[in-house]
Amino acid sequence: MNVLIIGSGGREHTLAWKIAQSDKLTHLYIAPGNAGTQQLGTNVDINIGDFEAIGEFMLEREISMVVVGPEAPLVDGLHDYFLDNSELHNISVIGPVKAGAMLEGSKKFANEFMARYKIPTGQFRSFNTEEIEEGLLYIETLKPPYVLKADGLAAGKGVLILDSLEKAQTELKEMLNGKFGEASRTVIIEEFLQGIEASVFVLTDGKSYVIFPEAKDYKRIGEGDTGLNTGGMGAVSPVPFANKDFMNKVEERIIRPTISGLQKEQILYKGFLYFGLMNVNGDPYVIEYNVRMGDPEAQVVIPRVQTDLLELLIAVANNKLGKKSMETDARSVCTVVLASGGYPGNYEKGKGINKLDEVKDSIIFHAGTKKEDNKIVSSGGRVLAVSSYGKDMKEALEKSYFSAGLIKFDKMYYRKDIGFDL
Ligand code: AMP
Ligand code: GLY
């Protein structure tokens, strides 16, 4: 079969790398893709918000499955658009309909959903622009640190954690007055959960699910988890504290009630679901849902999947996931993200990337790269993710750092402490 992957980051290159290994694949297309995906299939220059163009291209090339990498097209209703169109409704879309994508698209929806199904999360209340006064008074009843979350999608920047009451009240006002545009016209004030984070991923056909290997990512730009939030600067899998007992709690208290809640609400959910968790003294709490794989978590999770991913995705499309199981590689995989200096602030693009072919012991997943005059150049903040296998996390990290040391581009930056806290 022919498959289209939507997106252009390291996650999409990783999905392409895995799907390209399947005997079930005829031809792979990636829209818009990057210099890495170009080696595995055909990059297509389509705007990922233009559903009509995506649909037309798929019909023209006889592509029967679309795997949606990022959240935005799902929150904007790509799956619904395909279902509502008589020519497209037989195409398999991997990614939930809009109502399901609201688990990521609206933190208020997600928190209320968790409350309905008694899924453990922090205590919360939400306030809109008309309720600023109530919000300010409510903060006074809490203890620091204060967690404020923009309700809508804010490119990973919409969560603020503040130590002083005064700062929290000022930020609440600014958010409700549009600091993050429409996304923060509603703000969630959430209980601060003290613990260590991990991410768990499932693939579901709406009824059955398979659990993928868990991961931990490193979101801050600076070493020791300091500085601004980024999309993620590195990741490791497995996560040592996510032992059998912890994972059983995750499945019983979080995964099962989430899938059955979606079913009860008759929300068609076919695709990846990402649980951002906090381990609070051995008990898992949800801090966020994402309706897709993580990036750079995919770059450590997918390499540990031994089962044919395309077969799993076909089973999702045919409601047969219950018959499938997941074989995983027992080795550790870690990834180190090589970024453009200045990211997540301003940075320069178009830097020539050298010595990629000298890397032997790692897999290089491209993120912000493109091909220009037969040369690979940077085109984004996160440029490459260098993933390696090891018998343990330490060995995997050593390999990634060795490989990262071989690669060169002007103003290249990476964190040298991935995994430091484990
Ligand atoms: P998010 O954008 O939802 O991933 O949140 C960004 C980061 O804020 C998370 O990775 C956590 O480190 C932190 N965070 C979010 N919610 C909470 C919470 N309730 N308690 C403590 N930290 C949180
Ligand atoms: N690395 C975090 C995310 O994909 O949301």
Side-chain angles (χ1 to χ4, degrees):
M1 70 190 290
N2 295 327
V3 175
L4 171 69
I5 297 176
I6 302 262
S8 63
R11 165 183 51 213
E12 288 75 21
H13 185 190
T14 312
L15 291 168
W17 170 83
K18 184 70 183 166
I19 290 172
Q21 294 169 30
S22 173
D23 329 324
K24 299 258 179 319
L25 181 73
T26 310
H27 195 80
L28 184 61
Y29 296 88
I30 311 94
N34 59 35
T37 61
Q38 210 167 351
Q39 297 162 6
L40 300 164
T42 306
N43 282 356
V44 201
D45 190 15
I46 304 182
N47 171 352
I48 65 171
D50 188 346
F51 301 162
E52 202 180 316
I54 295 171
E56 275 173 19
F57 180 79
M58 292 188 71
L59 292 174
E60 182 195 305
R61 300 293 170 104
E62 299 181 342
I63 303 170
S64 48
M65 175 183 284
V66 52
V67 182
V68 186
E71 63 281 8
L74 297 168
V75 174
D76 291 341
L78 180 140
H79 196 154
D80 312 68
Y81 175 84
F82 274 58
L83 286 176
D84 291 344
N85 184 308
S86 59
E87 284 185 297
L88 301 174
H89 78 259
N90 287 326
I91 290 180
S92 312
V93 180
I94 304 299
V97 296
K98 188 182 175 90
M102 291 320 274
L103 285 178
E104 178 166 2
S106 165
K107 302 229 188 245
K108 179 168 188 252
F109 173 81
N111 277 358
E112 288 172 356
F113 178 92
M114 287 185 265
R116 279 198 290 285
Y117 301 105
K118 303 195 168 50
I119 296 166
T121 186
Q123 296 282 334
F124 68 95
R125 282 201 40 198
S126 75
F127 299 91
N128 63 31
T129 327
E130 271 98 71
E131 299 162 327
I132 292 188
E133 290 311 318
E134 287 100 310
L136 295 175
L137 289 174
Y138 178 67
I139 297 184
E140 283 178 20
T141 68
L142 304 175
K143 282 186 297 212
Y146 306 95
V147 181
L148 306 184
K149 298 187 172 183
D151 178 50
L153 294 183
K157 299 193 175 77
V159 176
L160 299 180
I161 299 180
L162 304 152
D163 284 321
S164 93
L165 176 64
E166 202 193 336
K167 190 99 185 79
Q169 290 182 319
T170 311
E171 286 289 354
L172 177 66
K173 274 190 266 185
E174 286 183 10
M175 286 174 88
L176 290 172
N177 286 322
K179 177 172 181 158
F180 299 107
E182 284 309 307
S184 67
R185 298 280 177 194
T186 296
V187 172
I188 285 76
I189 303 177
E190 198 173 280
E191 175 191 358
F192 179 82
L193 298 167
Q194 180 78 51
I196 179 158
E197 283 178 59
S199 305
V200 170
F201 310 88
V202 303
L203 179 67
T204 177
D205 59 9
K207 223 166 59 206
S208 306
Y209 55 84
V210 291
I211 303 179
F212 278 55
E214 77 288 351
K216 180 171 198 309
D217 84 331
Y218 292 82
K219 285 204 179 79
R220 304 294 196 92
I221 188 69
E223 281 160 21
D225 283 337
T226 54
L228 293 175
N229 252 324
T230 71
M233 294 301 293
V236 300
S237 178
V239 179
F241 66 77
N243 55 24
K244 218 177 167 124
D245 178 46
F246 183 78
M247 291 304 287
N248 283 341
K249 289 179 188 169
V250 173
E251 185 166 7
E252 288 304 317
R253 299 177 190 175
I254 294 170
I255 298 174
R256 259 195 221 151
T258 300
I259 303 293
S260 72
L262 287 165
Q263 257 179 294
K264 277 198 197 100
E265 303 197 7
Q266 298 186 328
I267 293 173
L268 180 69
Y269 202 110
K270 285 175 179 280
F272 290 101
L273 182 51
Y274 162 149
F275 302 85
L277 305 176
M278 191 72 86
N279 174 353
V280 182
N281 300 321
D283 288 318
Y285 287 76
V286 178
I287 52 177
E288 64 169 344
Y289 285 117
N290 293 314
V291 297
R292 51 176 173 79
M293 270 306 297
D295 186 341
E297 292 93 329
Q299 291 90 309
V300 297
V301 169
I302 302 288
R304 293 191 61 220
V305 172
Q306 289 175 323
T307 311
D308 182 325
L309 180 62
L310 186 51
E311 269 183 33
L312 291 177
L313 299 178
I314 293 169
V316 168
N318 298 334
N319 301 316
K320 298 248 163 65
L321 195 61
K323 297 198 166 35
K324 293 281 175 189
S325 60
M326 164 68 76
E327 299 290 326
T328 56
D329 194 317
R331 288 177 294 173
S332 285
V333 178
C334 76
T335 201
V336 174
V337 170
L338 311 186
S340 302
Y343 171 79
N346 294 331
Y347 55 84
E348 294 167 29
K349 299 181 192 174
K351 306 288 186 191
I353 304 168
N354 299 312
K355 315 248 175 176
L356 287 177
D357 47 4
E358 286 187 15
V359 173
K360 303 287 181 235
D361 254 0
S362 304
I363 313 168
I364 299 174
F365 292 117
H366 290 233
T369 67
K370 63 175 182 185
K371 233 175 171 174
E372 240 176 41
D373 305 327
N374 246 356
K375 228 188 125 24
I376 295 174
V377 300
S378 66
S379 64
R382 291 189 293 170
V383 178
L384 301 166
V386 182
S387 296
S388 314
Y389 292 93
K391 65 177 188 303
D392 52 22
M393 190 179 79
K394 185 166 167 284
E395 189 182 277
L397 282 165
E398 277 167 8
K399 286 190 193 167
S400 282
Y401 281 119
F402 180 78
S403 301
L406 298 173
I407 301 169
K408 303 270 181 285
F409 61 89
D410 186 33
K411 303 201 172 75
M412 176 173 116
Y413 167 81
Y414 57 95
R415 269 181 69 167
K416 304 203 172 48
D417 69 337
I418 300 306
F420 77 101
D421 54 340
L422 295 174

